[in-house]
Amino acid sequence: PLPRKYAVFGKTLFAFAHEGDKKVLPRIIADEARRFWSTTSFCEVMVQHFHHESVLDEEHHMRISQMPTVSANSAWSVSQGYGATRQAKSYIFDEKIGLTDVIYTVIEKGGDINDQR
């Protein structure tokens, strides 16, 4: 029951986690996914804990990205002042050259706590 999950597509190793420290993740991934390390050229790490989008780190063919949220606002998130745009982020990867395209899809508001004001 690892808190990180791994998958390989072509030359890209994917690591998925709810959260993680960008300074520690490269070492952990290299250890946990060592069987894939020599067969891939790129590593895409996707974490989601903070519900906003950013590239946390990018070096040595490893990109650590904070993913946007698709979840609706809750009473707690509104009380804390969080209000990230709900959107899905879709990636298109080529088996040989890695990431080629990114597509954003904004999720229309509906049924979340902000609509009840």
Side-chain angles (χ1 to χ4, degrees):
L2 290 174
R4 288 157 298 281
K5 306 298 181 204
Y6 300 97
V8 172
F9 175 74
K11 293 288 186 178
T12 305
L13 166 63
F14 296 95
F16 303 96
H18 180 72
E19 61 186 329
D21 183 334
K22 70 178 185 177
K23 295 177 183 173
V24 179
L25 277 172
R27 177 182 53 78
I28 292 172
I29 292 166
D31 184 52
E32 289 179 346
R34 71 178 70 200
R35 66 183 175 187
F36 306 120
W37 210 248
S38 64
T39 63
T40 57
S41 300
F42 313 102
C43 183
E44 294 284 343
V45 183
M46 299 173 185
V47 296
Q48 294 185 292
H49 179 68
F50 293 110
H51 294 212
H52 68 275
E53 178 191 8
S54 67
V55 175
L56 303 175
D57 196 18
E58 187 172 8
E59 62 180 326
H60 307 296
H61 303 282
M62 178 183 285
R63 180 182 10 243
I64 303 173
S65 299
Q66 176 69 46
M67 304 303 293
T69 186
V70 296
S71 63
N73 290 329
S74 65
W76 180 85
S77 64
V78 171
S79 72
Q80 298 299 308
Y82 300 131
T85 301
R86 293 175 61 199
Q87 60 184 346
K89 187 174 181 181
S90 303
Y91 295 89
I92 300 174
F93 283 85
D94 180 87
E95 288 185 76
K96 295 178 184 170
I97 62 173
L99 181 64
T100 60
D101 297 280
V102 178
I103 301 169
Y104 289 91
T105 304
V106 174
I107 299 170
E108 300 272 340
K109 285 189 175 187
D112 72 22
I113 196 163
N114 287 332
D115 292 337
Q116 299 173 12
R117 290 186 191 173

